[in-house]
């Protein structure tokens, strides 16, 4: 809600965690939902969303219910092609994935292409660390 206006668009993987979905519902931006990890559908939605001022692709890095890892390389390539920002929720990846535990963006080599990283820091790093956006 604090990031996007009614002039903007958010494109969300249909299997994103409920907390992401709730945040998107509160947001005034135009909402697009793409099929789970379907890059052809994401590209079609990005084409539709070109009329909006900003476009933000939102995805879990690691999907907790089935263990899928988001295809971040492809997401970042499409975001670059369509001038979109990338948001990843790393709550289920921080401390677990990547050579240094930084998450899926480190694992897949796209740390410099992701705009916003969200993580609770409470799964692998202990419950007392709280929540953070990097």
């Amino acid at each position: 809600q604090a990031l996007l206006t009614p002039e903007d668009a958010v494109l969300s993987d249909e299997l994103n965690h409920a907390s992401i979905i709730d945040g998107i519902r509160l947001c005034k931006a135009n909402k697009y939902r793409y099929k789970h990890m379907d890059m052809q559908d994401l590209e079609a939605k990005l084409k539709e969303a070109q009329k909006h001022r900003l476009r933000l692709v939102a995805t879990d890095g690691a999907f907790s219910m089935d263990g899928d890892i988001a295809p971040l390389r492809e997401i970042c390539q499409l975001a670059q092609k369509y001038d979109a920002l990338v948001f990843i929720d790393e709550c289920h990846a921080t401390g677990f994935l990547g050579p240094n535990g930084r998450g899926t963006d480190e694992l897949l080599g796209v740390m410099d292409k992701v705009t916003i990283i969200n993580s609770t820091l409470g799964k692998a790093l202990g419950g007392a660390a709280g929540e953070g956006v990097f």
Side-chain angles (χ1 to χ4, degrees):
Q1 184 176 355
L3 298 175
L4 302 173
T5 72
E7 298 175 5
D8 304 322
V10 60
L11 301 95
S12 176
D13 187 294
E14 67 183 354
L15 294 187
N16 275 339
H17 190 272
S19 60
I20 297 172
I21 294 167
D22 287 345
I24 290 170
R25 282 188 185 134
L26 292 171
C27 176
K28 304 248 188 290
N30 296 274
K31 296 153 185 76
Y32 295 82
R33 214 168 67 170
Y34 63 93
K35 294 175 189 164
H36 181 53
M37 297 185 9
D38 184 329
M39 296 300 95
Q40 289 180 334
D41 193 38
L42 174 58
E43 184 165 20
K45 300 294 191 300
L46 280 164
K47 286 177 183 177
E48 284 181 52
Q50 286 302 292
K51 60 189 171 200
H52 302 293
R53 182 181 68 112
L54 292 176
R55 288 152 304 285
L56 177 71
V57 178
T59 186
D60 276 302
F63 291 85
S64 62
M65 295 303 288
D66 51 17
D68 289 340
I69 303 298
L72 289 178
R73 288 184 190 120
E74 294 83 357
I75 289 171
C76 290
Q77 288 170 350
L78 287 171
Q80 184 174 16
K81 180 176 179 179
Y82 293 98
D83 195 27
L85 307 172
V86 177
F87 166 95
I88 56 172
D89 186 312
E90 291 287 71
C91 296
H92 299 102
T94 301
F96 293 106
L97 297 176
N100 299 299
R102 300 263 328 237
T104 55
D105 60 333
E106 181 186 39
L107 177 71
L108 299 173
V110 294
M111 291 176 60
D112 60 335
K113 293 177 176 37
V114 174
T115 312
I116 302 168
I117 301 169
N118 176 72
S119 185
T120 61
L121 307 177
K123 306 261 192 270
L125 304 178
E131 193 161 325
V133 175
F134 308 99

